Amino acid sequence: MDKTVGVLGGGQLGRMLVEAANLLEIKVNFLDGGEYSPAKQVINHGNHIDGSFKDADAVRKLAEQSDVVTIEIEHVNTDILEQISQSGTDVQPHWRTIRTIQDKYAQKELLQSHGVATAQSVPLDSASIPDLQKASEALGLPLMLKSRREAYDGKGNFPVKTKDDFKSALDTLGSNKDLYAEKWANFRMELAVMVVKTKDQVLSFPTVETIHENSVCKLTYTPARGVSETVNEQAQELARKAVACFEGKGVFGVEMFLLEDDTLLVNEIAPRPHNSGHYTIEACPVSQYEAHLRAILDLPLFAEDLQLREPAIMLNILGGDSEDSHKAFAQEALKQRRTKIHLYGKGKARKGRKMGHITVTAPTMSEAETIIQPMIEYADKDKPKRANAVPSKPQEQPLVAVVMGSDSDLPVVQPGLAILKKFEIPYTVRITSAHRTPAWMAEHASSAAANGIKCIIAAAGGAAHLPGMVAAYTHLPVIGIPVKPTIGDGMDSLLSIVNMPKGVPVAAMSVNNSTNAALYAARILGVGDAAIAKKYVQYMQDSRGEVREKDRKLAELGADAYAEKYLAKK
Amino acid sequence: MDKTVGVLGGGQLGRMLVEAANLLEIKVNFLDGGEYSPAKQVINHGNHIDGSFKDADAVRKLAEQSDVVTIEIEHVNTDILEQISQSGTDVQPHWRTIRTIQDKYAQKELLQSHGVATAQSVPLDSASIPDLQKASEALGLPLMLKSRREAYDGKGNFPVKTKDDFKSALDTLGSNKDLYAEKWANFRMELAVMVVKTKDQVLSFPTVETIHENSVCKLTYTPARGVSETVNEQAQELARKAVACFEGKGVFGVEMFLLEDDTLLVNEIAPRPHNSGHYTIEACPVSQYEAHLRAILDLPLFAEDLQLREPAIMLNILGGDSEDSHKAFAQEALKQRRTKIHLYGKGKARKGRKMGHITVTAPTMSEAETIIQPMIEYADKDKPKRANAVPSKPQEQPLVAVVMGSDSDLPVVQPGLAILKKFEIPYTVRITSAHRTPAWMAEHASSAAANGIKCIIAAAGGAAHLPGMVAAYTHLPVIGIPVKPTIGDGMDSLLSIVNMPKGVPVAAMSVNNSTNAALYAARILGVGDAAIAKKYVQYMQDSRGEVREKDRKLAELGADAYAEKYLAKK
């Protein structure tokens, strides 16, 4: 903690880094052009260096004042980093790591040599039509033509759909640049994982769903929506494996494609804090910035502190048409609850420039989506409405899984579904027969928790094994609805459900009472979700009111008139 | 957001205030003595003022540069604030508020004139033994003798137990100071509430339990432990009522005594962010610092954003014997998970000086207590062990309430209690008969949620009304155990519990199966508590292992030998 950290670059990433450093009294010196650049605004000690982070003398001066030198942008001069490193300055991550990552094709080659899945790539010998033709024969069309260096936020990428695009692609990316072609990835989602490499561990933050617009990150959702626990774990593993290929310490942003068939490819890696990790400031016990400092300074770091506390959505504040458009955006965001605003102190806005971001955290993703919706609409206010714009009705994470042994049970289950709708509790309904589809029943029950389900309602009649078998495959609370069979009064169903052996509990409801099953699910969810608990209290009040009203009418009309008027109708 | 805020004082409160201001690009100028004081270290713009916040010219200079002037310490010169206010500077909170609060006796008089409960107080005409004698006759002994001004962190207080203490009390507090005597408060706890006064609302943060040592705040626990929902609400209301007595906007810290009979008295008020509100940085969507800025700048503020996200414990880092004792403390704290460290940039430590603080947040108070325990022990390492030191075994918040209709049900319930213990789930056990103590049953059930209970297990036999009646009084999930009566097989108990009317669900277990009731409670709690869910998964694995082991033995021995060897024992 007594070491001094020197940083090349002083933009928003440096600013957020120093916000974490200030809490620990870690001294940070910045080298960048502005006297009051975003990062320098928030740490005042008179020792910053004004100058270009590409200027060798300035970097050497920074190195002299610092115990560890790190970067907040990868487009630095790695020859100078190599020199200062050889003169004894601790450079993190390693200068070779930064040099490799600067060249996107070299980055991919290194990853592939370590068995990390990436899109197939072919370097172009020259920026010429014949060479591009050769690449297109190897990879097929469409393909993505990319600059190997100095490319970010979509700059340096050109989608080549047909041969007719060859010329404009080469014209746009420039003939003096090293180019490479990448096989087109038909991805259904983009994911990102922030990885921390310490002196002896490789740890990862949660998997993030990233939404890009015009090749710039617009939104991130954590946890990633509609991604199974298996894919989530594969993404974490792939990201850690990718970062383990590189030398040195610090945080790395790993961007990935999730293809239609659920396979994952690494797209690219940033050797520094990353836009897709901003959410960690509010949503995790330790942020990506604090994790970077802990990693490069060999301070303790726990995997548990990188876990999510609450679902989080991050929305970038991009510059608009006016120079204070970001301030107007922040004024809008101030009107929303559970919204943390981060402005970067960049002065006047320029169109499309990252001027800040907001992070919404809430007990459920669905609540966070509701809160952020007006701010997404504000961000999109000047945009032509497009069919493929971010959907205004957000996708909801199901919390209750309803299962039944047969479709004949559905009419019994329906009143319960109506209650779940009334409480706005998202649910799934499936037929998973314990006797006719035992394997599917087992798979559905055992994967429920990993898919974000909090509680299972199971309806079955007669031998009624479903609730108990589901309970055998999950640690989630299972609520059983005994369904009255065609023969008998349903006592068989009830006893099959309620008389579970010691060790595997099922909550039995009365025969055919799916209403109570759904209400019981609401009580369970209400334990951890204040909004649902509040609705439940309201439901109890309403129900009390209804009975009191009936009582009033009964007293007013007398028993006979009441029975005729109200009960006859039934 | 475009307004400039001027702050008198630049210590740790100013530092944390500016951490919130930087996120919103709110410009803050500090007036205080050090060029690199704690607050000035973290906002760099070249416009701070070096000087005393008691110097009239310096304050006027600050006012000229600022749209709103506020304070981070109340011991300022209110005559100058009155002048700049009359010259048109917006001073928040109002200078009259600061002036009244500076004089602790005037503060208490104002509160009492508005009907706010405080300890009875008597001013001393002079600092003489006869005047102290007069006060002791009015208030009784013991009493607390206090300086009216410039008193904080216990400085300026002297406990007068008998007449023999009169002379030393007067000698210690000094004859030139205004003194007053306060009736001795036999409190069982000290509570604090941060209140925000905006232009049109008075809002409050949660109720905090504060633990002082040598009259200095040492620890805060939020929510306050062992405080009923009623007392909690009364504390919130009293704090808001107290702050509503004062003019102006901003946050106020309200310190209270909770007496043995559960009545509350306001002890004193700070017209600024307060040590007992540090926890809000991590634990609430909007911190006390951001709330102060939003209040004084008329920006929106929502009651919901002042609510607790997770239980939090704050521990002050006080200076020790060496000048870098706070850094050694921080090194210890870095070894703990879920621990946020705040060092204040005060340079060398002095004994007892507030050098920083740490905040632990966790999904449950009991987990937070476990995490912070080694840090409390570290803080206490040089202290002689005392009988009344903070107990090393923290008090646990019960999560499950177990009730039964009669003590004869207890033997049936016991195996369930053993399961709760195995899962380390804290619980209460009570007898609340639906028929013999209907009012007590109703009170217990209806207050359970407010007391932090998440789930209720109710056991009853025969007519077995208890689970259903409990469910009628709470929105928490209720698990019913049908107890086998002396006559019959228990089918009466089972049907009474399971056949609940639509609208009021109870989860029925099989007859006498308290084991499953407790396991079901663990499943419910596991929905929101990953540690419990993890234990449950382990339990399922162990149970699978046990059955596989029995199967192995059965295959090895054959049926007859197995039955003789293992079943005969039963």
Side-chain angles (χ1 to χ4, degrees), chain A residues 23 25 44 337 343 345 503 516, chain B residues 23 25 41 304 343 345 503 516:
Chain A
L23 295 181
E25 289 183 4
N44 181 23
R337 61 204 171 93
L343 293 179
N516 275 12
Chain B
L23 295 181
E25 288 183 3
Q41 284 168 26
E304 186 188 333
L343 292 180
N516 274 12

Side-chain angles (χ1 to χ4, degrees), chain B residues 36 60 102 179 191 237 241 256 297 311 315 361 423 540:
Chain B
Y36 296 119
R60 270 184 222 108
Q102 283 178 340
L179 300 179
L191 301 177
E237 232 167 86
K241 188 175 171 188
M256 282 169 284
L297 295 172
L315 171 65
T361 53
F423 279 87
M540 288 171 80

Side-chain angles (χ1 to χ4, degrees), chain A residues 252-493:
Chain A
F252 293 76
V254 181
E255 293 185 286
M256 283 169 281
F257 295 133
L258 177 64
L259 306 187
E260 293 294 349
D261 65 354
D262 268 6
T263 57
L264 288 157
L265 296 180
V266 170
N267 175 21
E268 58 183 70
I269 294 180
R272 53 165 171 79
H274 190 258
N275 199 162
S276 66
H278 288 350
Y279 77 93
T280 58
I281 298 174
E282 285 80 19
C284 303
V286 163
S287 73
Q288 65 167 341
Y289 301 99
E290 186 173 342
H292 186 67
L293 290 169
R294 288 189 183 224
I296 66 175
L297 296 172
D298 295 338
L299 299 174
L301 186 64
F302 303 95
E304 185 188 334
D305 280 350
L306 311 187
Q307 287 175 13
L308 204 63
R309 216 180 250 171
E310 281 190 326
I313 307 176
M314 190 276 330
L315 172 64
N316 273 331
I317 299 179
L318 301 178
D321 290 325
S322 73
E323 63 184 37
D324 58 357
S325 58
H326 57 299
K327 297 209 168 191
F329 196 130
Q331 291 283 2
E332 281 300 309
L334 277 169
K335 295 177 195 162
Q336 301 298 331
R337 61 204 171 93
R338 291 188 163 275
T339 300
K340 202 83 193 173
I341 301 165
H342 294 256
L343 293 179
Y344 300 151
K346 288 186 170 179
K348 294 176 183 173
R350 282 199 316 264
K351 186 83 179 173
R353 192 176 187 209
K354 290 176 181 171
M355 302 302 291
H357 74 269
I358 58 173
T359 303
V360 170
T361 52
T364 63
M365 177 56 85
S366 137
E367 189 179 347
E369 285 173 324
T370 306
I371 295 170
I372 206 154
Q373 193 53 35
M375 293 179 274
I376 294 178
E377 280 161 21
Y378 183 86
D380 290 347
K381 67 185 183 331
D382 302 324
K383 266 192 358 202
K385 298 282 171 249
R386 294 183 316 170
N388 61 348
V390 177
S392 65
K393 176 70 187 128
Q395 187 181 352
E396 289 192 302
Q397 161 67 45
L399 299 176
V400 175
V402 181
V403 292
M404 62 200 88
S406 155
D407 62 358
S408 64
D409 301 326
L410 188 55
V412 168
V413 166
Q414 279 177 305
L417 303 182
I419 291 281
L420 293 177
K421 269 183 220 145
K422 183 184 167 75
F423 279 87
E424 293 172 302
I425 295 171
Y427 61 86
T428 59
V429 203
R430 306 299 293 263
I431 298 167
T432 67
S433 164
H435 303 121
R436 283 158 295 184
T437 59
W440 160 230
M441 179 276 303
E443 184 195 333
H444 181 272
S446 56
S447 63
N451 288 328
I453 297 294
K454 304 290 183 197
C455 169
I456 301 179
I457 295 175
H465 291 178
L466 183 61
M469 287 311 299
V470 166
Y473 279 105
T474 180
H475 63 273
L476 296 175
V478 178
I479 303 167
I481 308 171
V483 175
K484 185 181 162 312
T486 23
I487 299 164
D489 58 2
M491 188 58 95
D492 50 351
S493 319

